[in-house]
Amino acid sequence: MKQSSVDAVIRGLKRAGVSIVCYLPDSLFKELYPALDADPDIRTIQVTNEGEGAAICGGVFLSGKRAALVMENSGLRASVEPLARMGLGAGIPVFMLLSYRGDMGENNWWAVPHGITMEPVLQALRIPYAVEREEDRIEQAIVDAYELAYSSYYHTAVALSGSIVR
Amino acid sequence: MKRFDCMTKLAARLSDELVILSLGASVDEWYNAAPHMRQASLFQQQLGCVTPQAFGLAAGLPDRQIVSLDTDGGLLFNLGILATLGNEQPKNLFVVVWDNEQYQSIGGPKTHTASGRVDLAGIARASGVDHAYTATTLEEFDAHCEAGLKSDTPYVVVAKVSGTVQPEIKRKHSDGREDKYIFVRHVEKTEGITIMGPSEHN
């Protein structure tokens, strides 16, 4: 990621009121994680799997603070059970920022399943999402997704792809 | 050692704490053992989510004492949270693990702790949670509650309890959604904050 894209993500998270970010590091967002760690207004919590991160974000929601779960889109599959239980069973929302592995331009065979499954999994869970491929869309997409998560009390997601992550 | 008796001991020590608890018969036992904590307690349905969610709450409300009532089956589902707690060292999280060595809510098939070889408190200590203990008597459990609620580092007590359920407890009639609203409104009132506010009418 370019520094300008990293900055756009952080601007979007701050405008959305996010003060806690849970993440499991991945390669496409490589530059984002240390920037989040270094930001004095954001507490980062590195987790052992993305489902754990989703549950922590759910707990943060209950505290009145705002959290984001940042991960590769493969992490969505690891999060499905807690997302389904919290979202559909209790109305506890989690906002997710995903790096879009397996999109057009993918050059790793192991990442192909991530592209094949991401949108169908989001759709199966009825999670509204946006796929952004242009840097100038990042900030507003995060703000808009967060807004919807708090009016629906349901999860939303933004996946970043294209020139943003390559 | 009976879980309900442990709950009664813990409940007597709680007033303005917030509690996240696991699914199964322990939910109704808790609401009966700690009726004064009803609005301050939220049960979660998913194995592996209870302590992570309690930790999220603790991270968001660093000046409030948070209690996680987890289970052997639930903790085994995501042992990674112990490593996360070991690294993050929350100052306000007390974790109780009801270890009855079984998946009680589905009829009692054994969990991995039933073999006697798996030591959840030992796993916690090896994950960086220095204060992690096993309690086998009510007196030990109560002493750990006293220490754990005052501790400024994460504190885990694994309570070895029998697989019995307290007879004639009242069952709650609310679902996960109603429970969430009850809990959120309680947090809003006691913290003086808004979590689920009005829409904007624009």
Side-chain angles (χ1 to χ4, degrees):
Chain A
M1 282 177 90
K2 288 188 290 192
Q3 184 60 44
S4 53
S5 294
V6 169
D7 293 343
V9 168
I10 293 177
R11 279 199 310 275
L13 292 174
K14 288 187 178 180
R15 270 184 58 203
V18 171
S19 61
I20 296 177
V21 169
C22 292
Y23 70 75
L24 190 74
D26 79 299
S27 50
L28 292 185
F29 283 166
K30 184 172 59 183
E31 295 82 4
L32 177 60
Y33 302 110
L36 289 167
D37 287 338
D39 194 293
D41 300 326
I42 292 174
R43 174 178 178 182
T44 51
I45 297 171
Q46 184 169 334
V47 297
T48 63
N49 73 72
E50 297 88 343
E52 176 189 319
I56 294 173
C57 287
V60 174
F61 166 79
L62 295 170
S63 79
K65 299 286 196 316
R66 293 191 171 202
L69 177 57
V70 181
M71 58 191 180
E72 187 179 78
N73 56 353
S74 55
L76 178 67
R77 298 196 301 261
S79 310
V80 163
E81 177 65 356
L83 287 173
R85 298 264 189 174
M86 286 193 298
L88 297 168
I92 295 173
V94 176
F95 165 75
M96 292 169 278
L97 182 71
L98 312 169
S99 66
Y100 195 157
R101 274 278 177 198
D103 198 8
M104 293 296 188
E106 180 59 59
N107 56 358
N108 288 288
W109 64 267
W110 50 262
V112 174
H114 310 349
I116 290 172
T117 55
M118 182 186 80
E119 294 193 50
V121 169
L122 288 166
Q123 289 160 8
L125 289 168
R126 308 292 190 269
I127 296 175
Y129 64 93
V131 177
E132 301 298 345
R133 297 183 175 85
E134 303 297 332
E135 184 180 294
D136 61 4
R137 282 285 311 144
I138 296 174
E139 181 181 339
Q140 192 61 40
I142 291 171
V143 172
D144 289 347
Y146 221 97
E147 193 73 37
L148 180 58
Y150 266 68
S151 55
S152 62
Y153 298 117
Y154 196 58
H155 319 308
T156 58
V158 172
L160 301 184
S161 187
S163 60
I164 296 171
V165 291
R166 295 194 182 280
Chain B
M1 186 164 69
K2 284 167 64 181
R3 184 173 59 201
F4 190 79
D5 295 338
C6 292
M7 286 180 171
T8 303
K9 288 286 187 190
L10 173 60
R13 296 187 176 279
L14 300 183
S15 53
D16 63 346
E17 294 80 0
L18 297 171
V19 182
I20 303 288
L21 64 147
S22 181
L23 81 179
S26 67
V27 177
D28 293 315
E29 282 191 334
W30 177 248
Y31 289 146
N32 281 261
H36 66 297
M37 297 298 289
R38 173 63 182 88
Q39 294 182 315
S41 302
L42 181 66
F43 101 96
Q44 286 303 301
Q45 323 153 51
Q46 159 63 3
L47 292 177
C49 273
V50 172
T51 298
Q53 215 171 84
F55 170 51
L57 192 56
L61 293 173
D63 296 323
R64 194 90 181 253
Q65 182 67 40
I66 310 299
V67 178
S68 171
L69 301 183
D70 213 328
T71 61
D72 48 333
L75 191 57
L76 285 163
F77 197 91
N78 176 26
L79 289 169
I81 185 61
L82 294 171
T84 302
L85 296 183
N87 280 337
E88 295 291 331
Q89 292 292 307
K91 297 179 187 302
N92 55 334
L93 180 61
F94 175 46
V95 179
V96 175
V97 183
W98 306 122
D99 183 0
N100 58 10
E101 304 183 352
Q102 62 177 264
Y103 295 101
Q104 184 179 51
S105 64
I106 54 160
K110 66 181 189 310
T111 64
H112 275 7
T113 61
S115 66
R117 296 176 61 82
V118 178
D119 172 7
L120 291 173
I123 295 170
R125 284 193 297 274
S127 302
V129 180
D130 296 335
H131 289 291
Y133 307 95
T134 301
T136 56
T137 68
L138 204 52
E139 292 70 29
E140 283 175 354
F141 178 77
D142 194 36
H144 284 303
C145 289
E146 182 180 18
L149 288 166
K150 283 191 283 195
S151 177
D152 60 3
T153 58
Y155 197 109
V156 173
V157 58
V158 178
K160 298 294 278 189
V161 292
S162 63
T164 56
V165 177
Q166 187 71 6
E168 296 179 11
I169 51 171
K170 282 187 298 185
R171 297 210 63 195
K172 76 182 183 75
H173 290 204
S174 50
D175 66 5
R177 225 164 257 273
E178 183 176 350
D179 285 340
K180 179 201 68 172
Y181 280 98
I182 291 170
F183 184 82
V184 163
R185 298 311 178 200
H186 176 77
V187 176
E188 287 179 329
K189 188 175 166 190
T190 54
E191 289 289 329
I193 58 173
T194 299
I195 300 171
M196 302 177 75
S199 59
E200 297 200 10
H201 298 302
N202 54 3

